[in-house]
């Protein structure tokens, strides 16, 4: 990528990394605890309205839209916000959530029959080892339940990735907006059942400025602006050139949490986090250059699917898959114009 687009990709990583600190501020505004499921409903209300009236419905089935909304949006963020409300540090949450990359590899193998490469399997093993170290280090200083809930959020995100990949929506932003419509009603209703009407209506009647600003940031900057830029980059470059920038998200998230919230990870959490990121890097980066080269050298052959894991507020893997094929086909056409290189 050229310098300008590389800086845009880095900007997206910053927006997504700061997202976790923004969530923490909103959940604990002025010492008042906001019901987490209600907060998610508020966020996606802003993701959907008024944008749904201006963005066309993606050309996928309603089943796919509901599936992406249920797993990638409601499940992921409902569990993430719940974990953070129960005490999961924002920086550590930004790190552990990256397990969705590894879980996507496993779910795609099981449900889409996509055979993982040796490097992807090695990345999964390394990432699981890192998560185990984080869990042991976390259990020594705090309850491990919030960590398990974040892993549940990562699993839900991975399931949403598989649904979105199978749907292959042409408009990633359209899928984000339309699938987001699945979230507000059910989660607001669930919050009424879990937290009680007094807590829900009391929060709505006395919304703190920090909660409002947090909801606006997560909806507009993390979801709409972040994914608008991300879609454009994936439409212009092979996924192997874009996706590695997501490795910056936990770096930004943990740094921002340290500066803004005073969160200092334990040595065990840092060591496990490095192992986890090493596993993610292995699964995402290893062999991608060879894969793009092989795709560029094939002409007229069936192209294998490209697995692109999602990050932040729900990456559209289906669209990234199409973009990867377009980039590969561009490489094929380039190879066809240079027969001597073959």
């Amino acid at each position: 990528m050229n310098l300008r687009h590389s800086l845009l990709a880095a900007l997206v990583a910053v927006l997504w990394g700061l997202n976790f600190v923004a969530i923490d501020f909103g959940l604990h505004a002025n010492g008042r605890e906001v019901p987490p499921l209600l907060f998610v409903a508020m966020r996606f209300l802003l993701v959907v309205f008024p944008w749904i009236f201006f963005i066309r419905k993606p050309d996928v089935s309603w089943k796919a839209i509901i599936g992406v909304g249920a797993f990638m949006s409601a499940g992921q963020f409902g569990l993430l916000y719940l974990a953070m409300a129960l005490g999961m540090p924002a920086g550590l949450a930004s790190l552990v959530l990256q397990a969705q990359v590894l879980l996507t590899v496993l779910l795609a193998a099981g449900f889409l029959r996509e055979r993982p490469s040796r490097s992807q399997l090695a990345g999964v093993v390394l990432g699981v080892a890192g998560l185990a170290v984080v869990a042991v280090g976390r259990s020594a200083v705090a309850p491990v339940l919030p960590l398990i809930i974040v892993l549940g959020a990562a699993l839900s995100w991975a399931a949403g990735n598989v649904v979105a990949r199978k749907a292959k929506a042409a408009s990633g932003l359209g899928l984000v907006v339309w699938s987001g419509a699945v979230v507000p009603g059910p989660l607001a209703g669930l919050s009424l059942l879990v937290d009680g009407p007094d807590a829900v209506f009391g929060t709505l009647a006395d919304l703190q400025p920090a909660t409002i600003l947090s909801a606006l940031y997560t909806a507009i900057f993390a979801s709409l602006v972040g994914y608008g830029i991300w879609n454009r980059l994936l439409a212009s470059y092979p996924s192997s050139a874009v996706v590695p920038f997501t490795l910056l998200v936990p770096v930004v998230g943990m740094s921002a949490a340290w500066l803004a919230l005073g969160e200092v990870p334990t040595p065990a959490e840092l060591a496990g986090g490095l192992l986890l990121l090493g596993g993610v890097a292995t699964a995402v980066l290893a062999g991608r250059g060879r894969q793009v080269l092989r795709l560029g050298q094939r002409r007229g052959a069936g192209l294998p699917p490209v697995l692109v894991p999602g990050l932040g507020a729900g990456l559209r893997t289906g669209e990234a898959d199409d973009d990867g094929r377009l980039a590969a086909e561009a490489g094929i056409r380039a190879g066809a114009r240079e027969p001597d290189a073959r």
Side-chain angles (χ1 to χ4, degrees):
M1 291 195 296
N2 61 36
L3 178 60
R4 177 173 175 271
H5 288 163
S6 295
L7 291 175
L8 284 174
L11 172 62
V12 173
V14 171
L15 292 176
W16 288 345
L18 295 176
N19 185 51
F20 294 88
V21 174
I23 292 171
D24 190 273
F25 275 127
L27 282 171
H28 311 290
N30 295 331
R32 302 184 184 184
E33 301 297 321
V34 176
L37 298 181
L38 175 65
F39 198 19
V40 179
M42 292 167 55
R43 168 179 179 164
F44 279 90
L45 192 65
L46 295 172
V47 168
V48 174
F49 296 104
W51 320 111
I52 198 169
F53 298 114
F54 304 99
I55 297 176
R56 182 179 301 177
K57 173 185 172 294
D59 188 20
V60 298
S61 68
W62 283 107
K63 182 179 179 180
I65 290 175
I66 293 173
V68 171
F71 289 108
M72 192 179 286
S73 299
Q76 177 197 172
F77 289 105
L79 291 172
L80 174 64
Y81 280 48
L82 176 61
M84 294 180 66
L86 292 175
M88 184 67 173
L92 191 59
S94 72
L95 173 68
V96 174
L97 199 61
Q98 302 317 305
Q100 61 86 19
V101 175
L102 310 176
L103 293 170
T104 298
V105 172
L106 297 178
L107 290 182
F111 291 96
L112 300 180
R113 305 304 181 195
E114 294 180 352
R115 184 178 179 181
S117 66
R118 290 182 179 178
S119 61
Q120 287 176 325
L121 289 176
V124 170
V125 172
L126 188 59
V128 169
L131 286 172
V133 174
V134 171
V136 171
R138 187 66 187 161
S139 63
V141 297
V144 75
L145 178 60
L147 174 66
I148 296 174
I149 295 175
V150 174
L151 286 176
L155 178 61
S156 184
W157 188 355
N161 284 342
V162 172
V163 175
R165 176 173 173 75
K166 187 174 181 180
K168 298 180 181 179
S171 171
L173 186 59
L175 186 58
V176 169
V177 172
W178 282 80
S179 66
V182 175
V183 180
L187 287 197
L190 189 57
S191 182
L192 281 170
L193 291 176
V194 173
D195 302 301
D198 291 341
V200 169
F201 292 115
T203 298
L204 293 176
D206 188 27
L207 279 177
Q208 299 297 303
T211 300
I212 297 173
L213 291 175
S214 171
L216 288 171
Y217 178 88
T218 57
I220 296 174
F221 291 98
S223 291
L224 298 174
V225 174
Y227 284 111
I229 296 173
W230 196 252
N231 281 342
R232 187 63 178 270
L233 293 176
L234 285 173
S236 304
Y237 297 97
S239 59
S240 58
V242 181
V243 170
F245 280 90
T246 61
L247 293 173
L248 296 173
V249 173
V251 177
V252 174
M254 297 187 79
S255 299
W258 171 51
L259 293 173
L261 303 173
E263 293 180 1
V264 180
T266 66
E269 290 171 349
L270 280 176
L274 290 175
L275 280 176
L276 173 60
L277 288 182
V280 172
T282 300
V284 171
L285 299 176
R288 280 198 175 274
R290 293 192 301 272
Q291 182 187 54
V292 172
L293 178 61
R294 288 196 302 269
L295 291 175
Q297 290 174 340
R298 294 180 184 180
R299 178 166 50 186
L303 298 177
V306 179
L307 179 63
V308 181
L311 233 301
L315 179 62
R316 293 79 39 225
T317 52
E319 181 184 19
D321 181 66
D322 293 338
D323 295 333
R325 281 202 303 272
L326 290 174
E329 290 165 0
I332 292 173
R333 290 194 293 271
R337 291 195 296 269
E338 299 177 2
D340 294 340
R342 298 172 64 86

